Amino acid sequence: MRIDIITIFPEMFEGPFSHSIVRRAQDKGLVEIHLHQLREYTSDNHHKVDDYAFSGGAGMVMMIEPVARIIEKLKGERVYDEIIYTSPDGELLNQPIANHLSTFENLLILCGHYKGIDERIREHFITKEISIGDYVLSGGELAAAVITDSLVRLLPGVLGNEVSALSDSFQDNLVSPPVYTRPRDFRGWKVPEILLSGNERLIEEWKFEQAVERTKRRRPGLLEV
Ligand code: SAH
């Protein structure tokens, strides 16, 4: 998979993309992530990418020309399965959306700033709009990093079997059962006996019951789907 990200703050991705699973996936050649500095695509001498909103009102708007230029350049180089804009009014990111996007070859993600982007970019270039939650961020970078992380961990070969993504929360519309490690007894706080029993069938049953019970208690909406 290849992910291209258009941003005015490429440095913001250094942390999330150069550690842990996303880093390992890139090192193994399972994903290529390319960051594009939008400011390099302006015709303005000061590399400005924002301008005043027509009709006044507070805040600046991301201009159409530089965005159109970079998107058209990238589209000339490869076919994108989706051109995504990170937006608080987009589709709320969830596991089924992440699963679906992770099956694609080429994704392009545009990070907004200021009061947002000129609406004509959304109308003419964007094929999918994604929100990471009902709150407003200062820019699309953190959202793009979240989207990327959620997809990359699903790519075949990225996670070992022992941490298979299929056993994580939201696959099967259940949250995960509780997990434990050594020691068996810490200050009298004990690990459930059944997990130490070695009986795989009973352990699987216990995990399933726990997952259902937790989902009912914490996220009942998941069971109504
Ligand atoms: N005026 C806009 C918010 C702009 S915030 C509004 O009220 O809807 C600046 C940029 O941050 C947005 O263009 C978007 O790219 C990004 N952003 C903010 N909140 C987000 C969220 N919840 N999910 C995804 N992207 C978000």
Side-chain angles (χ1 to χ4, degrees):
M1 167 179 258
R2 174 180 168 125
I3 303 176
D4 289 276
I5 299 178
I6 302 171
T7 169
I8 55 171
F9 292 116
E11 302 80 10
M12 281 184 72
F13 294 92
E14 275 167 22
F17 291 172
S18 38
H19 302 278
S20 185
I21 287 165
V22 178
R23 167 67 183 274
R24 209 184 326 145
Q26 293 175 91
D27 289 348
K28 283 189 186 171
L30 299 170
V31 66
E32 265 182 49
I33 303 175
H34 296 266
L35 301 170
H36 305 275
Q37 171 55 271
L38 179 64
R39 292 192 192 282
E40 288 172 14
Y41 294 83
T42 69
S43 43
D44 179 83
N45 284 341
H46 302 287
H47 302 291
K48 237 170 89 82
V49 291
D50 59 316
D51 210 336
Y52 292 100
F54 280 127
S55 85
M60 304 295 278
V61 175
M62 214 160 192
M63 292 160 77
I64 193 166
E65 287 107 332
V67 177
R69 204 168 289 145
I70 169 96
I71 292 183
E72 277 167 351
K73 172 183 175 282
L74 291 170
K75 277 175 76 171
E77 293 166 1
R78 69 196 58 76
V79 176
Y80 287 96
D81 298 292
E82 294 284 11
I83 300 181
I84 299 168
Y85 172 52
T86 56
S87 182
D89 62 4
E91 228 181 315
L92 216 46
L93 182 64
N94 59 18
Q95 196 60 52
I97 295 176
N99 291 350
H100 182 62
L101 291 176
S102 76
T103 63
F104 289 139
E105 250 343 89
N106 294 307
L107 295 176
L108 178 54
I109 307 179
L110 171 64
C111 304
H113 262 277
Y114 317 110
K115 287 303 275 180
I117 59 174
D118 189 305
E119 187 65 20
R120 291 166 292 180
I121 298 170
R122 300 173 73 162
E123 280 167 22
H124 297 285
F125 293 111
I126 300 298
T127 61
K128 197 168 194 64
E129 303 190 323
I130 296 185
S131 163
I132 64 160
D134 288 345
Y135 40 80
V136 175
L137 301 165
S138 322
E141 283 72 16
L142 293 173
V146 167
I147 296 167
T148 302
D149 186 297
S150 74
L151 305 187
V152 168
R153 65 199 311 284
L154 297 169
L155 300 177
V158 169
L159 297 184
N161 272 340
E162 72 280 9
V163 279
S164 161
L166 289 177
S167 65
D168 283 333
S169 288
F170 307 116
Q171 303 288 5
D172 297 335
N173 288 327
L174 293 175
V175 301
S176 275
V179 289
Y180 300 86
T181 184
R182 291 184 297 178
R184 291 172 172 215
D185 186 335
F186 179 73
R187 301 180 182 163
W189 306 335
K190 296 204 175 66
V191 171
E193 263 320 303
I194 189 146
L195 295 180
L196 312 170
S197 69
N199 185 328
E200 275 187 32
R201 191 180 55 83
L202 286 182
I203 290 174
E204 281 313 310
E205 271 175 29
W206 180 87
K207 284 186 180 171
F208 181 70
E209 281 161 17
Q210 291 285 318
V212 171
E213 199 271 322
R214 269 198 174 203
T215 309
K216 276 189 193 150
R217 202 159 19 98
R218 298 181 179 213
R219 299 295 305 274
L222 290 175
L223 297 169
E224 287 157 20
V225 181

